[in-house]
Amino acid sequence: MTVPQTTPQRVATIEVGSRAIRLLVAEITVAGKLIVLNSDWRETALAAALSAGGTMLDGKIIEIVQIARAFEEKSRSFQVRRVCVFATEAVRQMSPVNLGVLHDGIPHLEVIDRKTEACCALLGAVSPFERPQRSEDSFVIDQGSGSMELAVGRIEDSGVNLLAYKSYRLGTQELVEEIGRVSCRERV
């Protein structure tokens, strides 16, 4: 049994994405409306550093930990009840050693799977910044720097009904690198 919300709640989310880290601090009203209190982002180019590897990736992991900690501190200044830190494709691609270093710096980091990422894309596209409302079947394409998710589904009273999804390791970073390789071959 769900207990009805009787007071507004402040929450924050930090996304460690393939291209940037994003912060969203919001208040969820009793009526379920989302009021954005603060947002911020920092370009990190994690997917590019992952592709390059070595010391470039090591430095990027340190930078990401520092940014995530600063965003957590910033969100706490809004007296949030909860901070959720999650990561997507570039972090899913990390070696266990690099992932361990990242988890040491951000202990409560949750690396979401491709299906969860597709559900989030569907919900965000169909019902952004509102209490989720029932919807017709929808098709959503979420093109990120590290991956592309395709999702088909709808919002029902019980939540997101993801009918089908497919996740491809075909992000914009990979596309840019491939275009560069093709362009170089064409010039030769």
Side-chain angles (χ1 to χ4, degrees), residues 56-81:
M56 184 175 185
L57 179 57
D58 295 342
K60 197 56 66 176
I61 291 170
I62 292 167
E63 177 187 351
I64 287 168
V65 167
Q66 291 170 342
I67 295 168
R69 286 179 176 170
F71 279 179
E72 283 187 73
E73 186 66 31
K74 184 176 187 177
S75 66
R76 294 201 193 291
S77 73
F78 287 89
Q79 289 88 38
V80 296
R81 187 175 142 230

Side-chain angles (χ1 to χ4, degrees), residues 26-117:
E27 184 169 275
I28 304 170
T29 68
V30 175
K33 184 169 176 58
L34 188 75
I35 300 169
V36 176
L37 302 175
N38 190 271
S39 65
D40 201 347
W41 72 279
R42 296 287 188 283
E43 183 80 32
T44 62
L46 176 58
L50 187 62
S51 181
T55 58
M56 184 175 185
L57 179 57
D58 295 342
K60 197 56 66 176
I61 291 170
I62 292 167
E63 177 187 351
I64 287 168
V65 167
Q66 291 170 342
I67 295 168
R69 286 179 176 170
F71 279 179
E72 283 187 73
E73 186 66 31
K74 184 176 187 177
S75 66
R76 294 201 193 291
S77 73
F78 287 89
Q79 289 88 38
V80 296
R81 187 175 142 230
R82 181 168 182 238
V83 178
C84 175
V85 185
F86 72 96
T88 58
E89 185 63 30
V91 176
R92 287 194 295 260
Q93 292 178 29
M94 282 185 177
S95 72
V97 170
N98 286 329
L99 186 56
V101 172
L102 197 58
H103 269 124
D104 287 346
I106 313 168
H108 50 282
L109 174 69
E110 181 179 350
V111 182
I112 62 173
D113 61 30
R114 290 177 174 91
K115 183 177 182 181
T116 301
E117 189 170 355

